[in-house]
């Protein structure tokens, strides 16, 4: 986002809204951000959504926005099971998302290989397949509808699944990051290394967002 587009006080109050689970205030904040979406630098994520880091706090907590247009393409759909190195509180502003949680066992029959995600090059996402293999099993599925909050702990392995025909937007607060790299689970016989360089969302793609959610 352009510098000083929203004040430090604005994001301090938004953090308090997340702490209080005040969905009305979070919704209004997201609406204000969406109304200025053309002034935000959005990037394309390998899993098919657009994202932007809107604010970073002094303790490395962050506010992010994720947008899944209904005309999107998923770039690395087979690498969508993962964890995070921070805790997440996510508000569904528009649409819905299915959060699927997994447990993992280091025993046969193996279903997935472990990839480790790094940023070895500036802003370039690197996924390296390790020799570790796991048996993953679904333990829960929950659909979170518009207007609701859900949480993901950094120890949890999950998928955030949005149906292709559903236009979904989430505003996310992340906190308590650690120094570990996120873990991504992919095909056992997948490539040794996957590189994804960031791509900016185009003006036409921004216009599509404006036409469908502002």
């Amino acid at each position: 986002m352009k510098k000083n587009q929203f004040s430090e006080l604005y994001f301090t109050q938004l953090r308090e809204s997340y702490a209080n689970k005040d969905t009305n205030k979070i919704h209004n904040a997201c609406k204000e951000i969406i109304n200025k979406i053309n002034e935000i630098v959005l990037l394309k994520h390998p899993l098919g959504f657009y994202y932007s880091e809107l604010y970073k706090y002094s303790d490395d907590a962050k506010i992010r926005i994720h947008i899944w247009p209904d005309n999107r393409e998923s770039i690395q759909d087979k690498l969508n099971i993962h964890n995070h190195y921070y805790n997440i509180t996510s508000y569904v502003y528009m649409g819905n998302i299915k959060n699927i949680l997994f447990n993992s066992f280091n025993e046969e029959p193996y279903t997935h290989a472990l990839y480790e995600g790094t940023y070895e090059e500036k802003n370039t996402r690197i996924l390296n397949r390790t020799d570790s293999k796991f048996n993953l099993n679904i333990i829960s599925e929950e659909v979170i509808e518009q207007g609701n909050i859900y949480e993901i702990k950094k120890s949890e392995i999950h998928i955030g699944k949005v149906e292709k025909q559903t236009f979904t937007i989430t505003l996310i607060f992340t906190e308590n990051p650690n120094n570990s790299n996120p873990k991504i689970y992919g095909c056992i016989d997948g490539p040794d290394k996957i590189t994804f360089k960031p791509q900016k969302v185009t003006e036409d793609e921004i216009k599509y967002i404006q036409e469908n959610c502002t």
Side-chain angles (χ1 to χ4, degrees), residues 45-158:
H45 193 277
L47 296 181
F49 59 84
Y50 307 157
Y51 70 98
S52 182
E53 180 182 307
L54 302 175
Y55 190 77
K56 184 176 181 179
Y57 299 90
S58 59
D59 61 353
D60 291 332
K62 296 177 182 179
I63 297 290
R64 294 166 58 101
I65 190 167
H66 290 183
I67 301 174
W68 288 262
D70 53 7
N71 64 345
R72 67 190 180 278
E73 293 183 3
S74 182
I75 301 168
Q76 291 292 345
D77 194 41
K78 295 182 179 180
L79 288 166
N80 54 5
I81 304 175
H82 60 280
N83 71 356
H84 297 274
Y85 63 92
Y86 41 71
N87 294 328
I88 291 175
T89 304
S90 181
Y91 172 75
V92 182
Y93 172 78
M94 179 177 175
N96 59 68
I97 187 167
K98 179 186 285 188
N99 188 41
I100 306 173
L101 297 181
F102 295 80
N103 56 19
S104 65
F105 300 97
N106 189 9
E107 61 184 34
E108 295 182 348
Y110 298 124
T111 59
H112 293 78
L114 176 65
Y115 282 75
E116 290 186 344
T118 64
Y119 292 91
E120 297 173 2
E121 305 169 22
K122 184 178 180 182
N123 296 325
T124 298
R125 179 75 157 159
I126 308 292
L127 299 178
N128 295 297
R129 183 166 60 84
T130 71
D131 294 329
S132 299
K133 297 178 182 179
F134 291 87
N135 182 345
L136 299 185
N137 297 286
I138 294 175
I139 55 177
S140 70
E141 299 184 33
E142 179 186 12
V143 177
I144 301 91
E145 299 288 351
Q146 176 178 321
N148 291 289
I149 284 175
Y150 69 103
E151 297 178 326
I152 304 168
K153 302 302 181 185
K154 53 191 168 189
S155 61
E156 293 180 324
I157 301 169
H158 88 119

Side-chain angles (χ1 to χ4, degrees), residues 1 5-6 10 27-40 65 67 93 169 206 209-214:
M1 181 174 292
Q5 183 62 58
F6 292 96
Y10 180 89
H27 183 90
N28 290 336
C30 193
K31 184 176 182 179
E32 291 174 348
I33 291 166
I34 291 296
N35 285 338
K36 297 182 181 295
I37 198 68
N38 62 316
E39 301 176 18
I40 296 172
I65 190 167
I67 301 174
Y93 172 78
I169 298 174
I206 293 289
I209 295 170
Q210 291 175 312
E211 290 173 347
N212 284 273
C213 64
T214 57

